[in-house]
């Protein structure tokens, strides 16, 4: 890290004790932006770093609800509205037992730059709860979502803050959340949430967008190197919404995904993952990847296994933060992996990133490679605002263009700053510059 930037980072640690994921996310961005400050002295003058590292607003609230047995449960809700220089706060809600303030802040901080890279008018935010949806009935999920929204609604609005899904929050949860928002406010304000069902204001391709976008980004990185996904062996971690549609797009682009995973284990299917079976298990039955292996004679399941031990040309980490370590990166490099695109948020540890950089692996960080989801959320907002509904083909075409533009911006920025091929630096610098310039224009707010 540039020595001029170090004191800012020390201050972030001092002010936010114990929030290790937040520190990690801030460190990654600050490490990249030394040269930007040298070029733009006005950013230091306007205290952009100090301001950008401090959320504009943080809301923490109690979420009381009753389970099916009539027992009262108390969870904690969060919304961190990090930066609204480019547009209304935008970012997902995560329901997972690991959620705490530090996790929400890391995600919200990343979201600022990711959203800036899309070129769409959206600020950065994140929220969620430590509520664990696993094993909960539809009724319990509904009661939880209603209680969560009963507090959160007062902070939202299509011009204020627009949540969407993330881990543990999909169309079902967005439905319950929207229903309660509509009831409390007496407004059919479609643009207040994205990831809605198609029949009630949702946009085609939103479900597929993050996974598709990650595959598009991998394809763009390979294209620059005179290569493509065609004929490649690919390993995807996770089996949620991002993973499923990354697999689908890789297959459409001629690659073969031979493995995916969940928090219990890994399935290896050398002939290629049967997407219809995986979708039926995950989306209809809400099952686990071991159920997939039970129905595929050629597939093997390893409980507690590591997807990165399986040899591949391309790796797409689509599960969660810090799931790909330095050791995993070394294994992937040894096995001949040439490209990594992050479908999840910050899935690769700093050591992992270093290992990939040293081995000249094309590495697309989440801010850039998984921005397709939130970009398509912005397209959903655009359709809601004009009371329009675009076709699947038109929306997917827009998504492909946006991902190609993000790739080009990160690539060109890395070149401009003398770090060719470094998408980490390229994405951090390009995202930071957009937000910083807007913040300077808006004055001290
Ligand atoms: N949670 C997703 C992300 O990490 C999507 C956010 C959104 O669509 O607002 O970008």
């Amino acid at each position: 890290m540039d020595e001029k930037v170090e004191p800012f980072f020390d201050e972030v640690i001092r002010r936010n004790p114990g929030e290790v994921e937040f520190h990690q996310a801030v460190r990654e961005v600050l490490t990249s932006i030394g040269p930007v400050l040298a070029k733009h002295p006005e950013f230091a003058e306007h205290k952009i770093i100090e301001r950008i590292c401090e959320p504009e607003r943080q809301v923490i609230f109690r979420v009381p609800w009753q389970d099916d047995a009539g027992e009262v449960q108390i969870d904690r809700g969060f919304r961190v509205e990090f930066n609204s220089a480019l547009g209304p706060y935008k970012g997902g809600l995560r329901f997972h037992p690991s959620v705490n303030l530090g996790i929400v802040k890391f995600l919200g901080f990343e979201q600022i730059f990711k959203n800036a890279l899309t070129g769409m008018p959206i600020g950065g935010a994140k929220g969620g709860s430590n509520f664990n949806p696993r094993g909960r009935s539809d009724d319990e999920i509904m009661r939880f979502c209603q209680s969560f929204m009963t507090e959160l609604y007062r902070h939202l609005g299509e011009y204020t803050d627009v949540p969407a899904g993330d881990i543990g929050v999909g169309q079902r949860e967005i439905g319950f959340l929207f229903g309660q928002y509509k009831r409390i406010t007496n407004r059919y304000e479609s643009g207040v949430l994205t990831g809605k069902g198609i029949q009630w204001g949702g946009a085609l391709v939103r479900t597929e967008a993050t996974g598709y976008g990650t595959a598009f980004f991998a394809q763009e990185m390979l294209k620059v190197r005179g290569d493509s996904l065609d004929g490649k062996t690919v390993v995807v971690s996770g089996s949620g919404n991002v993973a499923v549609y990354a697999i689908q797009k890789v297959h459409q682009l001629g690659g073969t995904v031979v493995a995916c995973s969940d928090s219990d284990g890994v399935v290896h299917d050398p002939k290629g993952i049967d997407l219809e079976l995986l979708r039926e298990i995950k989306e209809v039955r809400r099952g686990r990847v071991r159920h997939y292996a039970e129905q595929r004679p050629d597939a093997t399941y390893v409980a507690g296994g590591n997807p990165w031990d399986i040899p591949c040309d391309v790796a797409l980490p689509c599960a969660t933060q810090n799931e790909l370590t330095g050791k995993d990166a070394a294994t992937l490099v040894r096995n001949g992996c040439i490209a990594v695109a992050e479908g999840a948020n910050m899935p690769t540890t700093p050591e992992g990133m270093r290992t990939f950089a040293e081995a000249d692996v094309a590495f697309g960080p989440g801010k850039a490679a998984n921005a397709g989801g939130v970009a398509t959320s912005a397209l959903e907002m655009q359709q809601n605002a004009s009371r329009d509904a675009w076709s699947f083909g038109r929306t997917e075409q827009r998504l492909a263009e946006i991902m190609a533009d993000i790739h080009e911006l990160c690539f060109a920025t890395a070149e401009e700053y003398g770090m060719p091929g470094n998408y980490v630096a390229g994405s951090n610098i390009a995202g930071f510059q957009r937000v910083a310039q807007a913040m300077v224009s808006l004055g001290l707010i």
Side-chain angles (χ1 to χ4, degrees):
M1 190 183 299
D2 191 296
E3 60 180 31
K4 285 210 192 66
V5 181
E6 249 166 59
F8 301 121
F9 183 60
D10 293 344
E11 178 61 11
V12 167
I13 296 193
R14 199 189 63 75
R15 271 188 196 221
N16 305 278
E19 296 176 354
V20 288
E21 290 85 2
F22 179 51
H23 302 167
Q24 184 184 336
V26 172
R27 181 197 289 272
E28 191 212 290
V29 172
L30 295 192
T31 300
S32 301
I33 58 164
V36 184
L37 298 183
K39 220 176 186 170
H40 293 276
E42 73 275 18
F43 292 166
E45 196 184 307
H46 288 270
K47 299 265 194 292
I48 296 298
I49 300 188
E50 294 93 319
R51 284 159 64 195
I52 225 166
C53 292
E54 183 67 23
E56 290 176 15
R57 188 178 295 108
Q58 307 181 56
V59 189
I60 305 181
F61 51 100
R62 181 171 67 194
V63 189
W65 59 283
Q66 240 176 337
D67 67 19
D68 285 345
E71 191 86 21
V72 171
Q73 303 282 343
I74 307 293
D75 286 302
R76 187 175 285 178
F78 301 89
R79 186 71 177 166
V80 174
E81 297 179 332
F82 228 116
N83 194 295
S84 59
L86 292 175
Y89 305 110
K90 182 83 197 87
L93 298 171
R94 175 176 293 191
F95 292 169
H96 191 271
S98 65
V99 167
N100 57 40
L101 183 60
I103 296 272
V104 178
K105 276 162 76 174
F106 118 64
L107 291 163
F109 186 73
E110 292 249 312
Q111 201 82 41
I112 305 172
F113 307 102
K114 181 197 304 194
N115 294 4
L117 289 173
T118 66
M120 316 292 281
I122 42 180
K126 204 80 178 197
S129 173
N130 63 318
F131 168 69
N132 186 0
R134 191 138 160 218
R136 291 295 180 189
S137 69
D138 283 356
D139 285 347
E140 290 177 314
I141 300 281
M142 180 182 75
R143 287 196 293 274
F144 177 81
C145 289
Q146 289 178 338
S147 180
F148 186 86
M149 186 53 94
T150 301
E151 169 58 33
L152 191 65
Y153 87 96
R154 68 189 82 246
H155 306 288
L156 307 183
E158 63 176 316
Y159 297 111
T160 310
D161 184 354
V162 182
D166 196 81
I167 294 171
V169 179
Q171 218 173 84
R172 173 182 59 168
E173 290 73 18
I174 295 294
F176 295 144
L177 291 164
F178 183 71
Q180 184 73 348
Y181 182 86
K182 184 178 83 60
R183 187 179 191 197
I184 295 174
T185 60
N186 194 31
R187 281 164 64 89
Y188 206 106
E189 191 184 335
S190 299
V192 74
L193 286 166
T194 60
K196 300 180 293 295
I198 298 304
Q199 300 78 7
W200 44 278
L204 288 168
V205 192
R206 178 61 192 89
T207 309
E208 294 85 352
T210 313
Y212 277 18
T214 302
F216 286 143
F217 198 89
Q219 178 83 330
E220 292 293 326
M221 291 197 299
L222 290 168
K223 209 197 284 174
V224 168
R225 296 179 172 218
D227 208 339
S228 79
L229 278 169
D230 193 23
K232 295 290 184 295
T233 299
V234 180
V235 167
V236 171
S237 64
S239 50
N241 185 53
V242 181
V244 163
Y245 293 99
I247 295 171
Q248 185 173 62
K249 189 48 71 183
V250 167
H251 286 174
Q252 288 171 5
L253 293 171
T256 306
V257 178
V258 295
C260 65
S261 64
D262 58 28
S263 52
D264 298 335
V266 179
V267 62
H268 183 197
D269 193 344
K271 291 206 174 123
I273 297 286
D274 175 343
L275 192 76
E276 284 324 300
L277 178 60
L278 183 66
R279 283 185 60 190
E280 136 85 13
I281 285 162
K282 294 296 300 184
E283 294 175 1
V284 183
R285 289 198 255 154
R286 294 186 189 272
R288 311 293 294 168
V289 295
R290 80 182 134 79
H291 299 129
Y292 173 94
E294 282 159 15
Q295 282 183 244
R296 280 279 282 187
D298 293 328
T300 48
Y301 174 72
V302 182
N306 183 348
W308 314 123
D309 289 341
I310 297 167
C312 62
D313 305 309
V314 176
L316 305 179
C318 297
T320 193
Q321 65 270 3
N322 292 327
E323 53 157 315
L324 198 165
T325 64
K327 192 165 159 277
D328 296 330
T331 308
L332 283 163
V333 169
R334 209 176 321 114
N335 286 338
C337 175
I338 55 168
V340 177
E342 295 186 327
N345 291 313
M346 208 170 73
T348 309
T349 64
E351 299 74 44
M353 278 163 47
R354 250 189 320 269
T355 304
F356 288 137
E358 281 160 15
D360 196 31
V361 170
F363 179 79
K367 283 187 196 77
N370 73 36
V374 75
T376 308
S377 277
L379 300 180
E380 182 172 331
M381 291 162 75
Q382 198 174 330
Q383 290 166 72
N384 292 152
S386 56
R387 300 183 185 281
D388 198 359
W390 304 353
S391 70
F392 193 96
R394 176 180 173 195
T395 318
E396 191 187 357
Q397 180 57 34
R398 264 309 276 137
L399 170 63
E401 285 163 10
I402 291 169
M403 295 313 295
D405 288 350
I406 294 173
H407 174 273
E408 174 57 30
L409 175 67
C410 298
F411 189 82
T413 306
E415 289 232 305
E416 184 192 333
Y417 280 87
M419 293 174 272
N422 185 340
Y423 294 97
V424 176
S427 62
N428 287 334
I429 294 173
F432 179 84
Q433 285 190 149
R434 281 194 174 164
V435 183
Q437 269 146 9
M439 287 173 75
V440 169
S441 305
L442 298 184
L444 186 55
I445 49 167

